[in-house]
Amino acid sequence: MVIAFQIDDTVHLKKAHPCGSFEWKVTRIGADIGLKCRGCGHYILMPRSQLERRMKGALQRKI
């Protein structure tokens, strides 16, 4: 199942970042998804397929 990500969506992952936050903000879309930690601001690029497996549940859209 392909999830349609949009910029500024909040994604909740299964494992916590070392800073303790589970939430990441989507900042880039493509084959790799750019994510910024909502806790400490750390930026990572993750392949779309890997991100879909690591997601805990539904993502939150910015209105």
Side-chain angles (χ1 to χ4, degrees):
M1 179 173 99
V2 177
I3 299 172
F5 295 103
Q6 295 178 0
I7 294 182
D8 290 334
D9 286 350
T10 300
V11 179
H12 192 88
L13 300 183
K14 292 177 185 174
K15 285 189 173 183
H17 188 250
C19 73
S21 176
F22 287 91
E23 294 184 349
W24 295 78
K25 179 180 173 184
V26 176
T27 58
R28 179 182 180 271
I29 298 177
D32 292 332
I33 306 292
L35 300 170
K36 185 174 183 180
C37 179
R38 303 284 283 186
C40 65
H42 183 79
Y43 182 78
I44 62 169
L45 284 174
M46 185 179 295
R48 181 182 294 267
S49 60
Q50 189 177 23
L51 177 59
E52 289 175 355
R53 280 182 287 153
R54 290 188 180 188
M55 283 180 57
K56 184 171 185 177
L59 56 98
Q60 298 172 354
R61 300 249 184 239
K62 183 177 178 184
I63 299 175

